[in-house]
């Protein structure tokens, strides 16, 4: 059973799409629908007999585990094949370069703009390539003492201590193991080291907030 909030969104999105059809502008209008983070960790009325809200993913809103960052993302518009789906990882900061291209932008964007244009995935969801300044997706949550980096099918999840040093790390193949149950950092330390270096170097370059646990 859906919640009232989900029902309202469902009807609202349906009315929007219908309005575009009625106005005969659906053929030249893009609609992007996505969530800003994963679902809640707890649901009202939940009990031990119920599966976690984000099952089979681990974690929830506020976490950098898959349950906190893997979200629904739908696109309707010119060049997007109906009922097609794509497994190429994309991220919210890909939207700016994508919208710029869809709006007819021709000049190169500034070099410090993160993300890449996902338009090539519209027509080729299986083989399209997203070109980004950094060939990885970076997530950083300093107040929760965690960071993550996704490259191809693998993701390195890092926990920091309060001094800014890495306390622990876990390497997962999130394509075959979306629940992140198997830590591959011991069996594939070279890949773990490679991803850790990319993550640490990038954070040093952009100088984000340092990992500091907020006091309650």
């Amino acid at each position: 059973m859906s919640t009232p909030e989900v029902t309202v969104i469902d009807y609202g999105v349906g009315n929007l799409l219908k309005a575009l059809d009625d106005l005969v502008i659906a053929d030249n209008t893009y609609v992007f629908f996505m969530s800003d983070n994963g679902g809640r960790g707890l649901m009202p009325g939940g009990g031990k007999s119920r599966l976690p809200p984000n099952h089979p993913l681990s974690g929830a809103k506020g976490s950098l585990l898959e349950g906190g960052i893997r979200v629904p993302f739908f696109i309707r518009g010119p060049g997007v094949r109906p009922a097609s789906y794509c497994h190429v990882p994309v991220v919210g900061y890909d939207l700016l370069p994508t919208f710029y291209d869809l709006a007819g932008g021709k000049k190169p964007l500034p070099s410090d703009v993160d993300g890449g244009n996902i338009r090539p995935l519209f027509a080729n969801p299986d083989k399209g390539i997203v070109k980004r300044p950094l060939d990885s997706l970076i997530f950083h949550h300093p107040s929760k003492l965690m960071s993550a980096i996704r490259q191809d099918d693998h993701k390195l999840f890092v926990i920091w201590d309060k001094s800014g040093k890495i306390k622990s790390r876990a390497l997962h193949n999130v394509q075959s193991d979306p629940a992140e149950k198997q830590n591959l950092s011991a069996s594939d330390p070279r890949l773990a080291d490679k991803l850790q270096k990319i993550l640490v170097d990038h954070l040093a370059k952009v100088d984000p907030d340092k990992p500091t646990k907020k006091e309650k």
Side-chain angles (χ1 to χ4, degrees), residues 31-193:
V31 177
F32 290 72
F33 180 93
M34 68 186 302
S35 173
D36 61 340
N37 52 245
R40 294 174 55 183
L42 298 174
M43 294 295 289
K48 292 183 178 179
S49 61
R50 294 182 58 179
L51 291 171
N54 298 313
H55 178 82
L57 305 179
S58 299
K61 177 180 179 179
S63 168
L64 297 184
L65 294 170
E66 288 297 279
I69 61 176
R70 185 182 293 210
V71 300
F73 185 21
F74 303 90
I75 303 174
R76 192 184 85 163
V80 180
R81 289 190 282 115
S84 61
Y85 58 90
C86 178
H87 292 295
V88 177
V90 299
V91 69
Y93 54 77
D94 288 332
L95 294 181
L96 173 58
T98 303
F99 292 166
Y100 178 72
D101 178 53
L102 294 176
K106 301 299 182 182
K107 295 182 179 180
L109 289 168
S111 60
D112 59 350
V113 171
D114 294 322
N117 181 9
I118 68 172
R119 190 175 187 176
L121 302 178
F122 294 178
N124 296 292
D126 297 324
K127 299 181 180 180
I129 297 176
V130 180
K131 297 181 180 179
R132 303 182 180 90
L134 181 67
D135 188 26
S136 304
L137 304 183
I138 303 288
F139 305 88
H140 184 56
H141 202 331
S143 66
K144 291 292 183 71
L145 302 177
M146 62 180 67
S147 300
I149 175 172
R150 169 77 184 265
Q151 189 176 85
D152 299 324
D153 292 340
H154 287 89
K155 173 183 163 187
L156 185 73
F157 177 75
V158 168
I159 297 293
W160 306 89
D161 63 22
K162 292 184 179 181
S163 67
K165 295 182 179 179
I166 292 178
K167 181 179 180 180
S168 65
R169 68 182 188 179
L171 177 66
H172 304 285
N173 184 323
V174 289
Q175 181 64 29
S176 60
D177 177 30
E180 298 170 284
K181 292 183 177 180
Q182 186 177 7
N183 184 356
L184 305 175
S185 58
S187 60
D188 198 349
R190 292 183 63 181
L191 179 57
D193 290 344

